[in-house]
Amino acid sequence: MTDQPRKFDPRAATPFFVSRGHSGWLGLRYSDHGEDWVELELPWREDLLGEEGQRVLASGPILSLMDMASGMAIWRAMDDFTAIATLDLRVDYVRPAREGAAVFGRSQCYRVTRSAAFVRGVAHDGDIDDPVAHIQAVFMKIAPNTRVMHDA
C-alpha cells in the first residue's frame, strides 16, 4: 500500500459532477468514500415523489443516484477519470424510502478488467443494514484510442 495521494478524489470531484445536468438537478451530495467505493446522498424532496397520493420517492432518482455513485466508485478503484458507459444496471427495490429521509447510495467497484468494470451497491435511508434497494451493474471502459476514422 502506498501513501501517495490518489488522482481521483470523490470528495473533490463531486461539486463538478453535481453542478450541472441531471445530477445537479437532483441535488446529489458527497457523503463518504473508501478505496473502491463511493457514497452519495439524494436529499428528499416533494417533487421527487413517485405517485400522486403516495409519499414515496420515485424510483428514477434512486436509479440516477446509484448510477452516479457507481461511476465514481469505478474511477476511484481505477484511480483514473476516464470515459465509461453504463452497460447494465439492475436495481432491486426492497422497500420504499422513509418519508422525509435522504437516500444514500453506496456503490463498490469489485472488479475491473481491460474493457469492463463491475459494481454492486446499496441504497439506504440511514441504516445500511435496512436497505431501500440493492444494485448490480456493469460499465464499459471507453479507451480514448479506439476510434476508427473512415474515409468518406
Side-chain angles (χ1 to χ4, degrees):
M1 189 96 195
T2 178
D3 290 333
Q4 292 185 349
R6 307 275 304 264
K7 290 190 291 185
F8 183 76
D9 179 354
R11 181 189 313 260
T14 299
F16 170 77
F17 291 121
V18 302
S19 66
R20 56 190 43 89
H22 190 62
S23 297
W25 181 81
L26 289 172
L28 298 184
R29 301 177 190 154
Y30 169 83
S31 177
D32 202 359
H33 74 272
E35 292 296 313
D36 60 358
W37 60 270
V38 172
E39 185 175 272
L40 300 176
E41 176 186 355
L42 171 66
W44 192 90
R45 289 193 341 228
E46 290 275 341
D47 62 335
L48 299 180
L49 299 179
E51 295 181 30
E52 193 169 320
Q54 301 285 322
R55 308 292 296 165
V56 176
L57 280 178
S59 59
I62 295 173
L63 174 75
S64 296
L65 166 71
M66 299 309 298
D67 191 39
M68 178 57 75
S70 296
M72 292 179 75
I74 292 166
W75 293 319
R76 179 65 180 173
M78 295 188 318
D79 198 26
D80 189 20
F81 180 65
T82 185
I84 58 174
T86 309
L87 285 181
D88 182 43
L89 175 55
R90 174 192 168 114
V91 182
D92 294 320
Y93 293 95
V94 179
R95 65 170 179 81
R98 291 180 183 88
E99 182 178 347
V103 175
F104 297 86
R106 181 180 290 202
S107 290
Q108 176 194 26
C109 179
Y110 63 92
R111 181 167 169 77
V112 177
T113 69
R114 183 177 51 83
S115 59
F118 301 85
V119 297
R120 57 185 161 226
V122 61
H124 65 90
D125 53 9
D127 180 0
I128 199 165
D129 294 325
D130 185 20
V132 171
H134 292 273
I135 67 116
Q136 189 77 38
V138 180
F139 287 70
M140 178 175 69
K141 293 168 53 182
I142 303 170
N145 58 357
T146 58
R147 294 187 183 143
V148 176
M149 301 296 288
H150 297 280
D151 293 330

